[in-house]
């Protein structure tokens, strides 16, 4: 039971570089989410996909884009990384949008220098 | 109205003691209140959840108390153990909320249980 798989686990980027964080779930969940976690700030929603084919902005979407590739996969792209995007990024999924248990991946620790 | 306020930010409890974490919300449309537990280096994991039609839910040593009139809910950890040391997040959402139906998280409480 893999649950939610995120890759990579760690990444160091230079300012201005781009990268894509990958997320896949094997639970046939309809909804997927991207959060960032910073000390003292809790979990902040970046983007979400309530169902396959839809994506919407969350609380902190600036500097990010997402793609819901299919029901299983939801990627997060940083087009031009900035030091302010240094954070731990979590992908999550749920059977129903906003309800039920969210299953989180183990996170990607990103450092932008 | 979308905020969930969590306190305290950090908590130190002796082994065997009771840990209490509180959350307050403003949006009366919220109807689902879960708690998540996060260990260092891991993602949050669902611990226990409650709906507003009950005032208390217990699972093992973990209990959620819910006060609808005060718009508050709390997590009680009985007989706290060092293995309970983690960060705890409360959250809230509303069914059929459409674009407003996202799960809203509190900022977290770091619990340390001393042996």
């Amino acid at each position: 039971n893999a649950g939610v798989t995120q890759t990579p686990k760690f990444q160091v980027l230079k300012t201005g570089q781009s990268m894509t964080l990958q997320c896949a779930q094997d639970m046939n969940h309809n909804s997927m989410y991207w959060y960032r976690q910073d000390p003292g700030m809790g979990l902040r929603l970046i983007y979400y996909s309530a169902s396959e084919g839809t994506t919407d902005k969350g609380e902190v979407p600036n500097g990010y884009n997402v793609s819901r590739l299919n029901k299983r996969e939801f990627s997060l792209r940083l087009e031009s990384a900035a030091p302010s995007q240094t954070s731990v990024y979590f992908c999550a999924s749920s059977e129903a949008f906003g309800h039920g248990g969210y299953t989180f991946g183990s996170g990607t620790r990103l450092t932008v220098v | 109205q979308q905020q969930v306020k969590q306190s305290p930010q950090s908590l130190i409890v002796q082994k065997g003691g009771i840990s209490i974490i509180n959350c307050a919300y403003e949006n009366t449309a919220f109807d689902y209140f879960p708690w998540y537990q996060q260990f260092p280096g891991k993602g949050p994991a669902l611990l226990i959840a409650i709906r507003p039609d009950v005032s208390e839910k217990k699972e093992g040593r973990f209990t959620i108390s819910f006060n609808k009139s005060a718009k508050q809910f709390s997590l009680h950890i009985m007989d706290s153990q060092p293995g309970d040391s983690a960060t705890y997040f409360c959250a809230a959402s509303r069914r059929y909320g459409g674009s407003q139906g996202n799960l809203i998280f509190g900022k977290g409480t770091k619990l340390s249980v001393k042996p």
Side-chain angles (χ1 to χ4, degrees):
Chain A
N1 293 339
V4 176
T5 302
Q6 289 184 237
T7 55
K9 293 189 182 303
F10 302 93
Q11 184 72 47
V12 178
L13 287 179
K14 293 182 179 180
T15 298
Q17 286 185 320
S18 62
M19 78 162 294
T20 299
L21 280 63
Q22 306 287 352
C23 175
Q25 51 93 6
D26 63 1
M27 297 168 287
N28 201 36
H29 282 171
N30 291 304
S31 303
M32 297 185 75
Y33 316 83
W34 277 105
Y35 287 88
R36 61 177 289 173
Q37 184 173 31
D38 304 289
M41 302 297 290
L43 294 159
R44 293 185 291 171
L45 183 65
I46 304 170
Y47 270 93
Y48 64 95
S49 172
S51 60
E52 185 180 359
T54 69
T55 59
D56 283 287
K57 295 178 180 179
E59 180 185 356
V60 288
N62 291 344
Y64 305 95
N65 282 300
V66 291
S67 295
R68 182 78 183 263
L69 304 171
N70 47 55
K71 192 172 186 179
R72 290 186 63 247
E73 298 173 287
F74 188 39
S75 63
L76 177 72
R77 183 161 178 84
L78 287 69
E79 291 291 351
S80 179
S84 62
Q85 295 177 305
T86 294
S87 187
V88 180
Y89 291 85
F90 288 100
C91 176
S93 70
S94 66
E95 185 172 354
F97 176 57
H99 261 63
Y102 279 28
T103 300
F104 283 82
S106 57
T108 295
R109 184 173 294 274
L110 175 67
T111 302
V112 183
V113 298
Chain B
Q1 273 225 331
Q2 286 290 88
Q3 279 190 322
V4 176
K5 295 183 179 180
Q6 183 172 348
S7 62
Q9 281 189 319
S10 62
L11 182 61
I12 299 174
V13 174
Q14 292 295 319
K15 179 181 175 182
I18 302 173
S19 304
I20 302 174
I21 304 170
N22 300 299
C23 284
Y25 64 97
E26 290 293 325
N27 190 342
T28 56
F30 286 151
D31 60 0
Y32 175 68
F33 303 90
W35 285 87
Y36 283 78
Q37 180 188 54
Q38 183 182 28
F39 292 107
K42 304 292 185 183
L46 179 66
L47 182 64
I48 187 172
I50 197 169
R51 298 195 185 277
D53 52 344
V54 297
S55 60
E56 186 176 281
K57 182 175 182 179
K58 184 176 181 179
E59 290 185 3
R61 295 184 295 108
F62 299 90
T63 299
I64 299 179
S65 297
F66 183 78
N67 185 330
K68 189 173 182 178
S69 61
K71 292 185 286 185
Q72 295 176 347
F73 59 110
S74 59
L75 177 69
H76 295 235
I77 306 173
M78 310 300 288
D79 187 26
S80 298
Q81 299 297 312
D84 297 330
S85 297
T87 299
Y88 293 82
F89 294 95
C90 63
S93 70
R94 58 178 172 134
R95 193 181 293 274
Y96 311 124
S99 62
Q100 302 300 311
N102 269 317
L103 195 59
I104 309 297
F105 285 89
K107 293 191 182 301
T109 297
K110 186 174 182 180
L111 172 65
S112 297
V113 181
K114 299 300 184 185

